[in-house]
Amino acid sequence: MKYLFALLLSLLPGLTAAQGVTVFAAASLKEPLDQIALTQPDVTVTYAGSGTLARQVMAGAPADLVVLAHPDWMDALEQDDALVPGSRVDLLSNEIVLVAPQETPALDLTPGALTDALGPDGRLAIGLTASVPAGIYGRQALISLDLWDAVSNRLAETDSVRSALALVARGEAPLGLVYATDARVEPTLKVVARFPQGSHAPILYQAAVVRGEHEDAAQALLLALQSPQGLTAFIGAGFLPAGQP
């Protein structure tokens, strides 16, 4: 993947113009955007849960480009007049899955199977269900599939989807609800169940330029990420184009 991004950056002159750009990005985007930062020293990326990032921008944090995993947080930034008008775009999609250690068998999405997999004391690791996008989508799916009552008092809610992934990787939770792209980056875990797309709102990553002194450079970077080559790189990391599964 590192070499794919190096090739991408050599083909996209817009990225070479994006000097001094600070990107605030959803934690699940870490791998592909880290590769951009490695090959483009003047692009700095900060990762966290989308709600945390949006609140920081509204409080005046120095971001130039935001890439968030839920439209509600972009709505909040727009209502706060933090974004350059017309710069907000749909960028990517994803899937939510259950992950568990490699020895765990595949699970049916039923209350009994889920509680059996959690065991007597285990908890389901999940992003904060009120603010972290993966947690928001996950809560919707659990409710839609009649699983919420079985697990609602057995959640280990975290400040980002990557924190939920880490709890399972460290053996502190037997199951985690994360994005499919997160599952790809943790070799000690595997996907044991996939949530149907219709069980939750469409997963949508959006990007926008933040008002400030680097608007032109941030717009150049955003155009590069939207290009066919940029989308190919994200798809190579397991993301889906916006508007799909």
Side-chain angles (χ1 to χ4, degrees), residues 4-235:
L4 176 60
F5 268 98
L7 175 62
L8 166 66
L9 292 172
S10 71
L11 294 173
L12 296 178
L15 283 180
T16 63
Q19 297 180 352
V21 174
T22 298
V23 182
F24 277 19
S28 51
L29 291 163
K30 180 172 172 54
E31 281 65 39
L33 288 183
D34 266 358
Q35 297 306 322
I36 290 176
L38 285 173
T39 55
Q40 185 72 19
D42 288 328
V43 173
T44 303
V45 189
T46 295
Y47 302 100
S50 293
T52 298
L53 295 173
R55 286 190 289 264
Q56 289 176 350
V57 171
M58 288 186 285
D64 303 306
L65 181 69
V66 288
V67 189
L68 305 182
H70 201 288
D72 283 358
W73 288 114
M74 281 295 194
D75 290 345
L77 289 174
E78 245 176 12
Q79 291 163 10
D80 195 58
D81 200 29
L83 305 180
V84 173
S87 69
R88 179 176 174 178
V89 298
D90 296 347
L91 190 62
L92 301 166
S93 186
N94 212 328
E95 299 176 87
I96 52 171
V97 300
L98 287 178
V99 293
Q102 288 286 349
E103 65 273 13
T104 307
L107 297 180
D108 293 326
L109 289 173
T110 63
L114 204 52
T115 54
D116 285 349
L118 290 175
D121 302 312
R123 291 184 174 270
L124 173 64
I126 186 172
L128 288 162
T129 57
S131 60
V132 172
I136 295 171
Y137 297 124
R139 184 177 189 274
Q140 291 171 353
L142 292 167
I143 291 172
S144 173
L145 297 173
D146 294 325
L147 301 171
W148 181 251
D149 289 344
V151 298
S152 60
N153 63 345
R154 302 189 62 184
L155 301 180
E157 297 192 49
T158 64
D159 61 358
S160 76
V161 68
R162 286 302 173 90
S163 296
L165 184 76
L167 284 182
V168 187
R170 294 196 301 262
E172 297 175 22
L175 291 176
L177 194 155
V178 300
Y179 292 120
T181 50
D182 298 309
R184 290 166 59 106
V185 304
E186 180 45 69
T188 67
L189 305 179
K190 71 175 186 179
V191 174
V192 293
R194 294 180 181 272
F195 289 90
Q197 292 288 337
S199 65
H200 55 82
I203 295 171
L204 182 60
Y205 292 73
Q206 293 185 319
V209 176
V210 181
R211 290 183 184 272
E213 61 180 305
H214 298 137
E215 292 177 13
D216 290 344
Q219 185 64 54
L221 177 57
L222 178 54
L223 289 173
L225 297 181
Q226 290 179 266
S227 72
Q229 296 97 327
L231 291 176
T232 296
F234 281 113
I235 291 167

